[in-house]
mmCIF file of all heavy atoms in Angstrom:
data_model
loop_
_atom_site.group_PDB
_atom_site.id
_atom_site.type_symbol
_atom_site.label_atom_id
_atom_site.label_comp_id
_atom_site.label_asym_id
_atom_site.label_seq_id
_atom_site.Cartn_x
_atom_site.Cartn_y
_atom_site.Cartn_z
ATOM 1 N N CYS A 1 155.982 124.482 97.312
ATOM 2 C CA CYS A 1 157.313 123.867 97.827
ATOM 3 C C CYS A 1 158.422 124.038 96.727
ATOM 4 O O CYS A 1 159.414 123.454 96.849
ATOM 5 C CB CYS A 1 156.904 122.478 97.995
ATOM 6 S SG CYS A 1 156.259 121.538 96.681
ATOM 7 N N ARG A 2 158.219 124.920 95.796
ATOM 8 C CA ARG A 2 159.224 125.144 94.764
ATOM 9 C C ARG A 2 160.297 126.087 95.184
ATOM 10 O O ARG A 2 160.069 126.916 96.090
ATOM 11 C CB ARG A 2 158.613 125.707 93.523
ATOM 12 C CG ARG A 2 157.567 124.670 92.781
ATOM 13 C CD ARG A 2 156.933 125.462 91.610
ATOM 14 N NE ARG A 2 156.081 126.617 92.008
ATOM 15 C CZ ARG A 2 155.817 127.696 91.326
ATOM 16 N NH1 ARG A 2 155.980 127.658 90.068
ATOM 17 N NH2 ARG A 2 155.060 128.682 91.788
ATOM 18 N N ASN A 3 161.341 125.940 94.686
ATOM 19 C CA ASN A 3 162.529 126.926 94.963
ATOM 20 C C ASN A 3 162.041 128.321 94.330
ATOM 21 O O ASN A 3 161.512 128.386 93.242
ATOM 22 C CB ASN A 3 163.702 126.472 94.185
ATOM 23 C CG ASN A 3 165.010 127.258 94.663
ATOM 24 O OD1 ASN A 3 165.106 128.547 94.692
ATOM 25 N ND2 ASN A 3 166.054 126.513 95.057
ATOM 26 N N GLU A 4 162.376 129.428 95.046
ATOM 27 C CA GLU A 4 161.988 130.640 94.568
ATOM 28 C C GLU A 4 162.805 131.192 93.377
ATOM 29 O O GLU A 4 162.224 132.042 92.646
ATOM 30 C CB GLU A 4 162.141 131.628 95.726
ATOM 31 C CG GLU A 4 161.205 131.507 96.942
ATOM 32 C CD GLU A 4 161.171 132.588 97.953
ATOM 33 O OE1 GLU A 4 161.885 133.555 97.766
ATOM 34 O OE2 GLU A 4 160.589 132.420 99.003
ATOM 35 N N LYS A 5 163.839 130.606 93.161
ATOM 36 C CA LYS A 5 164.577 131.047 91.872
ATOM 37 C C LYS A 5 163.967 130.778 90.761
ATOM 38 O O LYS A 5 163.517 129.702 90.468
ATOM 39 C CB LYS A 5 166.042 130.392 92.102
ATOM 40 C CG LYS A 5 166.976 130.891 90.917
ATOM 41 C CD LYS A 5 168.285 130.138 91.044
ATOM 42 C CE LYS A 5 169.239 130.548 89.885
ATOM 43 N NZ LYS A 5 170.513 129.801 90.040
ATOM 44 N N ASN A 6 163.844 131.759 89.780
ATOM 45 C CA ASN A 6 163.107 131.695 88.515
ATOM 46 C C ASN A 6 161.781 131.340 88.567
ATOM 47 O O ASN A 6 161.185 130.783 87.608
ATOM 48 C CB ASN A 6 163.914 130.617 87.671
ATOM 49 C CG ASN A 6 165.353 130.992 87.355
ATOM 50 O OD1 ASN A 6 165.672 132.195 87.191
ATOM 51 N ND2 ASN A 6 166.278 130.016 87.260
ATOM 52 N N ARG A 7 161.067 131.599 89.675
ATOM 53 C CA ARG A 7 159.649 131.328 89.772
ATOM 54 C C ARG A 7 158.915 132.463 89.120
ATOM 55 O O ARG A 7 158.962 133.528 89.765
ATOM 56 C CB ARG A 7 159.396 131.211 91.274
ATOM 57 C CG ARG A 7 157.850 130.669 91.469
ATOM 58 C CD ARG A 7 157.415 130.840 93.004
ATOM 59 N NE ARG A 7 158.223 129.997 93.812
ATOM 60 C CZ ARG A 7 158.136 129.944 95.167
ATOM 61 N NH1 ARG A 7 157.236 130.747 95.801
ATOM 62 N NH2 ARG A 7 158.789 129.056 95.979
ATOM 63 N N LEU A 8 158.133 132.220 88.170
ATOM 64 C CA LEU A 8 157.429 133.226 87.403
ATOM 65 C C LEU A 8 155.975 133.324 87.899
ATOM 66 O O LEU A 8 155.406 134.461 87.873
ATOM 67 C CB LEU A 8 157.496 132.906 85.941
ATOM 68 C CG LEU A 8 158.738 133.144 85.259
ATOM 69 C CD1 LEU A 8 158.708 132.777 83.737
ATOM 70 C CD2 LEU A 8 159.295 134.513 85.332
ATOM 71 N N TYR A 9 155.406 132.246 88.337
ATOM 72 C CA TYR A 9 154.004 132.196 88.581
ATOM 73 C C TYR A 9 153.854 131.684 90.081
ATOM 74 O O TYR A 9 154.513 130.852 90.537
ATOM 75 C CB TYR A 9 153.217 131.221 87.710
ATOM 76 C CG TYR A 9 153.414 131.643 86.243
ATOM 77 C CD1 TYR A 9 154.464 130.907 85.540
ATOM 78 C CD2 TYR A 9 152.878 132.703 85.652
ATOM 79 C CE1 TYR A 9 154.528 131.182 84.196
ATOM 80 C CE2 TYR A 9 152.974 132.944 84.312
ATOM 81 C CZ TYR A 9 153.894 132.260 83.585
ATOM 82 O OH TYR A 9 154.197 132.575 82.310
ATOM 83 N N THR A 10 153.018 132.212 90.852
ATOM 84 C CA THR A 10 152.658 131.754 92.226
ATOM 85 C C THR A 10 151.812 130.513 92.175
ATOM 86 O O THR A 10 151.193 130.189 91.130
ATOM 87 C CB THR A 10 151.950 132.866 93.007
ATOM 88 O OG1 THR A 10 150.673 133.034 92.496
ATOM 89 C CG2 THR A 10 152.772 134.118 93.116
ATOM 90 N N ALA A 11 151.926 129.817 93.290
ATOM 91 C CA ALA A 11 151.035 128.585 93.395
ATOM 92 C C ALA A 11 149.489 128.958 93.230
ATOM 93 O O ALA A 11 148.734 128.225 92.515
ATOM 94 C CB ALA A 11 151.195 127.966 94.759
ATOM 95 N N SER A 12 149.026 129.992 93.774
ATOM 96 C CA SER A 12 147.680 130.420 93.705
ATOM 97 C C SER A 12 147.216 130.669 92.299
ATOM 98 O O SER A 12 146.181 130.346 91.795
ATOM 99 C CB SER A 12 147.334 131.589 94.674
ATOM 100 O OG SER A 12 148.149 132.715 94.316
ATOM 101 N N GLU A 13 148.162 131.244 91.456
ATOM 102 C CA GLU A 13 147.898 131.549 90.079
ATOM 103 C C GLU A 13 147.759 130.208 89.312
ATOM 104 O O GLU A 13 146.762 130.065 88.512
ATOM 105 C CB GLU A 13 148.928 132.426 89.443
ATOM 106 C CG GLU A 13 148.887 133.855 90.100
ATOM 107 C CD GLU A 13 150.184 134.615 89.652
ATOM 108 O OE1 GLU A 13 151.212 133.982 89.145
ATOM 109 O OE2 GLU A 13 150.016 135.837 89.676
ATOM 110 N N LEU A 14 148.658 129.283 89.427
ATOM 111 C CA LEU A 14 148.674 128.012 88.709
ATOM 112 C C LEU A 14 147.441 127.209 89.131
ATOM 113 O O LEU A 14 146.737 126.559 88.272
ATOM 114 C CB LEU A 14 149.879 127.273 88.959
ATOM 115 C CG LEU A 14 151.234 128.004 88.526
ATOM 116 C CD1 LEU A 14 152.409 127.137 88.979
ATOM 117 C CD2 LEU A 14 151.241 128.058 87.016
ATOM 118 N N VAL A 15 147.054 127.196 90.435
ATOM 119 C CA VAL A 15 145.867 126.452 90.889
ATOM 120 C C VAL A 15 144.620 127.105 90.286
ATOM 121 O O VAL A 15 143.671 126.404 89.757
ATOM 122 C CB VAL A 15 145.753 126.328 92.351
ATOM 123 C CG1 VAL A 15 144.584 125.757 92.774
ATOM 124 C CG2 VAL A 15 147.002 125.624 92.856
ATOM 125 N N PHE A 16 144.461 128.447 90.298
ATOM 126 C CA PHE A 16 143.218 129.080 89.858
ATOM 127 C C PHE A 16 143.095 128.882 88.313
ATOM 128 O O PHE A 16 142.071 128.601 87.819
ATOM 129 C CB PHE A 16 143.347 130.542 90.165
ATOM 130 C CG PHE A 16 142.153 131.343 89.701
ATOM 131 C CD1 PHE A 16 140.880 131.258 90.466
ATOM 132 C CD2 PHE A 16 142.090 132.062 88.559
ATOM 133 C CE1 PHE A 16 139.761 132.009 90.072
ATOM 134 C CE2 PHE A 16 141.053 132.886 88.128
ATOM 135 C CZ PHE A 16 139.952 132.791 88.915
ATOM 136 N N ILE A 17 144.128 129.101 87.690
ATOM 137 C CA ILE A 17 144.076 128.862 86.149
ATOM 138 C C ILE A 17 143.629 127.446 85.719
ATOM 139 O O ILE A 17 142.792 127.204 84.961
ATOM 140 C CB ILE A 17 145.523 129.197 85.503
ATOM 141 C CG1 ILE A 17 145.649 130.652 85.703
ATOM 142 C CG2 ILE A 17 145.454 128.684 84.060
ATOM 143 C CD1 ILE A 17 147.158 131.102 85.222
ATOM 144 N N THR A 18 144.326 126.481 86.489
ATOM 145 C CA THR A 18 143.965 125.050 86.214
ATOM 146 C C THR A 18 142.486 124.697 86.605
ATOM 147 O O THR A 18 141.781 124.068 85.847
ATOM 148 C CB THR A 18 144.940 124.189 86.998
ATOM 149 O OG1 THR A 18 146.169 124.449 86.747
ATOM 150 C CG2 THR A 18 144.603 122.673 86.681
ATOM 151 N N LEU A 19 142.091 125.183 87.840
ATOM 152 C CA LEU A 19 140.684 124.958 88.158
ATOM 153 C C LEU A 19 139.609 125.543 87.275
ATOM 154 O O LEU A 19 138.689 124.931 86.896
ATOM 155 C CB LEU A 19 140.510 125.501 89.619
ATOM 156 C CG LEU A 19 139.075 125.499 90.179
ATOM 157 C CD1 LEU A 19 138.639 124.003 90.233
ATOM 158 C CD2 LEU A 19 139.004 126.023 91.568
ATOM 159 N N VAL A 20 139.954 126.884 86.805
ATOM 160 C CA VAL A 20 138.888 127.466 85.931
ATOM 161 C C VAL A 20 138.909 126.674 84.542
ATOM 162 O O VAL A 20 137.762 126.448 83.947
ATOM 163 C CB VAL A 20 139.318 128.985 85.743
ATOM 164 C CG1 VAL A 20 138.441 129.585 84.669
ATOM 165 C CG2 VAL A 20 139.146 129.613 87.128
ATOM 166 N N SER A 21 140.096 126.297 84.148
ATOM 167 C CA SER A 21 140.239 125.637 82.889
ATOM 168 C C SER A 21 139.511 124.344 82.820
ATOM 169 O O SER A 21 138.668 123.965 81.872
ATOM 170 C CB SER A 21 141.556 125.462 82.414
ATOM 171 O OG SER A 21 142.249 126.750 82.315
ATOM 172 N N VAL A 22 139.656 123.531 83.884
ATOM 173 C CA VAL A 22 138.997 122.317 84.062
ATOM 174 C C VAL A 22 137.507 122.480 84.189
ATOM 175 O O VAL A 22 136.693 121.723 83.499
ATOM 176 C CB VAL A 22 139.485 121.518 85.431
ATOM 177 C CG1 VAL A 22 138.639 120.326 85.537
ATOM 178 C CG2 VAL A 22 140.926 121.156 85.050
ATOM 179 N N MET A 23 136.986 123.409 84.863
ATOM 180 C CA MET A 23 135.558 123.757 85.017
ATOM 181 C C MET A 23 135.021 124.140 83.618
ATOM 182 O O MET A 23 133.866 123.820 83.355
ATOM 183 C CB MET A 23 135.483 124.900 85.967
ATOM 184 C CG MET A 23 134.001 125.078 86.431
ATOM 185 S SD MET A 23 133.818 126.477 87.426
ATOM 186 C CE MET A 23 134.036 127.840 86.392
ATOM 187 N N CYS A 24 135.857 124.654 82.785
ATOM 188 C CA CYS A 24 135.413 125.117 81.432
ATOM 189 C C CYS A 24 135.593 124.015 80.387
ATOM 190 O O CYS A 24 135.204 124.183 79.213
ATOM 191 C CB CYS A 24 136.154 126.344 80.943
ATOM 192 S SG CYS A 24 135.671 127.790 81.998
ATOM 193 N N GLY A 25 135.944 122.828 80.784
ATOM 194 C CA GLY A 25 136.061 121.659 79.879
ATOM 195 C C GLY A 25 137.318 121.358 79.406
ATOM 196 O O GLY A 25 137.429 120.647 78.315
ATOM 197 N N TYR A 26 138.531 121.906 79.982
ATOM 198 C CA TYR A 26 139.762 121.501 79.386
ATOM 199 C C TYR A 26 140.575 120.661 80.353
ATOM 200 O O TYR A 26 140.816 121.198 81.522
ATOM 201 C CB TYR A 26 140.475 122.819 79.157
ATOM 202 C CG TYR A 26 139.813 123.733 78.068
ATOM 203 C CD1 TYR A 26 138.856 124.689 78.628
ATOM 204 C CD2 TYR A 26 139.968 123.425 76.776
ATOM 205 C CE1 TYR A 26 138.120 125.409 77.551
ATOM 206 C CE2 TYR A 26 139.293 124.183 75.744
ATOM 207 C CZ TYR A 26 138.314 125.224 76.145
ATOM 208 O OH TYR A 26 137.601 125.918 75.337
ATOM 209 N N ASP A 27 141.043 119.445 79.948
ATOM 210 C CA ASP A 27 141.359 118.432 80.974
ATOM 211 C C ASP A 27 142.859 117.911 80.721
ATOM 212 O O ASP A 27 143.205 117.074 81.461
ATOM 213 C CB ASP A 27 140.476 117.218 80.854
ATOM 214 C CG ASP A 27 138.908 117.386 81.075
ATOM 215 O OD1 ASP A 27 138.797 118.456 82.007
ATOM 216 O OD2 ASP A 27 138.183 117.020 80.508
ATOM 217 N N THR A 28 143.587 118.583 79.857
ATOM 218 C CA THR A 28 144.956 118.308 79.734
ATOM 219 C C THR A 28 145.831 119.477 79.870
ATOM 220 O O THR A 28 145.200 120.640 79.781
ATOM 221 C CB THR A 28 145.285 117.715 78.270
ATOM 222 O OG1 THR A 28 145.035 118.758 77.339
ATOM 223 C CG2 THR A 28 144.351 116.459 77.997
ATOM 224 N N TRP A 29 147.098 119.380 80.213
ATOM 225 C CA TRP A 29 147.922 120.599 80.459
ATOM 226 C C TRP A 29 148.069 121.337 79.173
ATOM 227 O O TRP A 29 148.100 122.640 79.223
ATOM 228 C CB TRP A 29 149.346 120.082 80.845
ATOM 229 C CG TRP A 29 149.411 119.220 82.118
ATOM 230 C CD1 TRP A 29 150.017 118.001 82.322
ATOM 231 C CD2 TRP A 29 148.802 119.602 83.359
ATOM 232 N NE1 TRP A 29 149.880 117.612 83.640
ATOM 233 C CE2 TRP A 29 149.034 118.608 84.222
ATOM 234 C CE3 TRP A 29 148.006 120.698 83.779
ATOM 235 C CZ2 TRP A 29 148.620 118.495 85.628
ATOM 236 C CZ3 TRP A 29 147.515 120.662 85.133
ATOM 237 C CH2 TRP A 29 147.924 119.578 85.993
ATOM 238 N N ASP A 30 148.077 120.752 78.074
ATOM 239 C CA ASP A 30 148.183 121.504 76.759
ATOM 240 C C ASP A 30 146.843 122.437 76.645
ATOM 241 O O ASP A 30 146.993 123.528 76.185
ATOM 242 C CB ASP A 30 148.369 120.663 75.603
ATOM 243 C CG ASP A 30 149.653 120.117 75.445
ATOM 244 O OD1 ASP A 30 150.722 120.652 75.792
ATOM 245 O OD2 ASP A 30 149.741 118.799 75.176
ATOM 246 N N ASP A 31 145.802 121.916 76.974
ATOM 247 C CA ASP A 31 144.488 122.560 76.804
ATOM 248 C C ASP A 31 144.339 123.751 77.767
ATOM 249 O O ASP A 31 143.834 124.707 77.393
ATOM 250 C CB ASP A 31 143.270 121.552 77.040
ATOM 251 C CG ASP A 31 143.141 120.624 75.772
ATOM 252 O OD1 ASP A 31 143.747 120.818 74.715
ATOM 253 O OD2 ASP A 31 142.424 119.592 75.998
ATOM 254 N N VAL A 32 144.956 123.489 79.014
ATOM 255 C CA VAL A 32 144.804 124.548 80.044
ATOM 256 C C VAL A 32 145.724 125.717 79.644
ATOM 257 O O VAL A 32 145.337 126.801 79.732
ATOM 258 C CB VAL A 32 145.378 123.932 81.434
ATOM 259 C CG1 VAL A 32 145.483 125.117 82.410
ATOM 260 C CG2 VAL A 32 144.412 122.882 81.895
ATOM 261 N N GLU A 33 146.806 125.371 78.965
ATOM 262 C CA GLU A 33 147.744 126.442 78.460
ATOM 263 C C GLU A 33 147.031 127.274 77.448
ATOM 264 O O GLU A 33 147.048 128.577 77.325
ATOM 265 C CB GLU A 33 148.974 125.918 77.955
ATOM 266 C CG GLU A 33 150.002 126.981 77.352
ATOM 267 C CD GLU A 33 151.201 126.357 76.618
ATOM 268 O OE1 GLU A 33 151.475 125.091 76.845
ATOM 269 O OE2 GLU A 33 151.870 127.063 75.848
ATOM 270 N N LEU A 34 146.473 126.517 76.436
ATOM 271 C CA LEU A 34 145.702 127.294 75.272
ATOM 272 C C LEU A 34 144.652 127.973 75.722
ATOM 273 O O LEU A 34 144.317 129.073 75.265
ATOM 274 C CB LEU A 34 145.365 126.143 74.281
ATOM 275 C CG LEU A 34 146.463 125.424 73.568
ATOM 276 C CD1 LEU A 34 145.817 124.418 72.669
ATOM 277 C CD2 LEU A 34 147.127 126.476 72.655
ATOM 278 N N PHE A 35 143.846 127.574 76.872
ATOM 279 C CA PHE A 35 142.658 128.244 77.282
ATOM 280 C C PHE A 35 143.172 129.527 78.031
ATOM 281 O O PHE A 35 142.520 130.590 77.826
ATOM 282 C CB PHE A 35 141.942 127.327 78.249
ATOM 283 C CG PHE A 35 140.661 127.952 78.732
ATOM 284 C CD1 PHE A 35 139.520 128.236 78.048
ATOM 285 C CD2 PHE A 35 140.585 128.400 80.145
ATOM 286 C CE1 PHE A 35 138.435 128.813 78.527
ATOM 287 C CE2 PHE A 35 139.490 129.032 80.631
ATOM 288 C CZ PHE A 35 138.367 129.250 79.811
ATOM 289 N N CYS A 36 144.244 129.404 78.834
ATOM 290 C CA CYS A 36 144.599 130.571 79.446
ATOM 291 C C CYS A 36 145.012 131.633 78.530
ATOM 292 O O CYS A 36 144.867 132.747 78.661
ATOM 293 C CB CYS A 36 145.812 130.138 80.401
ATOM 294 S SG CYS A 36 146.490 131.517 81.378
ATOM 295 N N ARG A 37 145.787 131.200 77.420
ATOM 296 C CA ARG A 37 146.253 132.181 76.414
ATOM 297 C C ARG A 37 145.127 132.808 75.818
ATOM 298 O O ARG A 37 145.139 134.043 75.515
ATOM 299 C CB ARG A 37 147.158 131.476 75.407
ATOM 300 C CG ARG A 37 147.717 132.441 74.322
ATOM 301 C CD ARG A 37 148.715 131.689 73.426
ATOM 302 N NE ARG A 37 149.886 131.374 74.075
ATOM 303 C CZ ARG A 37 150.276 130.065 74.275
ATOM 304 N NH1 ARG A 37 149.616 129.158 73.765
ATOM 305 N NH2 ARG A 37 151.387 129.745 74.919
ATOM 306 N N SER A 38 144.029 132.117 75.467
ATOM 307 C CA SER A 38 142.876 132.622 74.728
ATOM 308 C C SER A 38 141.944 133.516 75.641
ATOM 309 O O SER A 38 141.361 134.459 75.149
ATOM 310 C CB SER A 38 142.009 131.491 74.078
ATOM 311 O OG SER A 38 141.468 130.800 75.141
ATOM 312 N N GLN A 39 142.067 133.232 76.916
ATOM 313 C CA GLN A 39 141.285 133.989 77.984
ATOM 314 C C GLN A 39 142.231 134.767 78.842
ATOM 315 O O GLN A 39 141.926 135.038 80.065
ATOM 316 C CB GLN A 39 140.501 133.040 78.752
ATOM 317 C CG GLN A 39 139.459 132.268 77.932
ATOM 318 C CD GLN A 39 138.314 133.118 77.466
ATOM 319 O OE1 GLN A 39 137.807 133.905 78.166
ATOM 320 N NE2 GLN A 39 137.816 132.988 76.179
ATOM 321 N N PHE A 40 143.233 135.300 78.314
ATOM 322 C CA PHE A 40 144.361 135.946 79.162
ATOM 323 C C PHE A 40 143.794 137.193 79.858
ATOM 324 O O PHE A 40 144.091 137.455 80.970
ATOM 325 C CB PHE A 40 145.675 136.282 78.461
ATOM 326 C CG PHE A 40 146.712 136.952 79.251
ATOM 327 C CD1 PHE A 40 147.487 136.074 80.142
ATOM 328 C CD2 PHE A 40 146.828 138.154 79.303
ATOM 329 C CE1 PHE A 40 148.476 136.551 80.932
ATOM 330 C CE2 PHE A 40 147.940 138.814 80.086
ATOM 331 C CZ PHE A 40 148.645 138.039 80.913
ATOM 332 N N ASP A 41 142.947 138.008 79.141
ATOM 333 C CA ASP A 41 142.431 139.173 79.759
ATOM 334 C C ASP A 41 141.597 138.855 80.956
ATOM 335 O O ASP A 41 141.498 139.554 81.957
ATOM 336 C CB ASP A 41 141.582 139.939 78.740
ATOM 337 C CG ASP A 41 142.384 140.679 77.598
ATOM 338 O OD1 ASP A 41 143.583 140.724 77.963
ATOM 339 O OD2 ASP A 41 141.915 140.853 76.561
ATOM 340 N N TYR A 42 140.782 137.704 80.858
ATOM 341 C CA TYR A 42 139.845 137.298 81.941
ATOM 342 C C TYR A 42 140.835 136.926 83.162
ATOM 343 O O TYR A 42 140.482 137.389 84.293
ATOM 344 C CB TYR A 42 139.257 136.042 81.523
ATOM 345 C CG TYR A 42 138.364 135.446 82.731
ATOM 346 C CD1 TYR A 42 137.113 135.849 83.123
ATOM 347 C CD2 TYR A 42 138.930 134.299 83.444
ATOM 348 C CE1 TYR A 42 136.478 135.328 84.176
ATOM 349 C CE2 TYR A 42 138.290 133.752 84.469
ATOM 350 C CZ TYR A 42 137.100 134.246 84.817
ATOM 351 O OH TYR A 42 136.324 133.574 85.800
#
């Protein structure tokens, strides 16, 4: 439901990254960001 202007990430990308991060034990937004950065190739 976001405005398309300046949208860098799709909804599916944000949901997938969050879901995988939570499944791996990361439960805060800061932790999700750090996990995604450390596992960016994945």
Side-chain angles (χ1 to χ4, degrees):
C1 55
R2 297 172 298 165
N3 191 307
E4 293 187 7
K5 184 179 180 181
N6 298 325
R7 186 192 298 176
L8 294 177
Y9 308 100
T10 65
S12 60
E13 289 171 343
L14 295 174
V15 172
F16 181 77
I17 289 170
T18 303
L19 175 58
V20 174
S21 301
V22 169
M23 193 183 72
C24 294
Y26 301 94
D27 302 322
T28 68
W29 300 130
D30 289 319
D31 288 345
V32 172
E33 177 188 348
L34 291 172
F35 180 72
C36 180
R37 183 176 291 116
S38 67
Q39 298 289 317
F40 184 76
D41 290 342
Y42 171 85

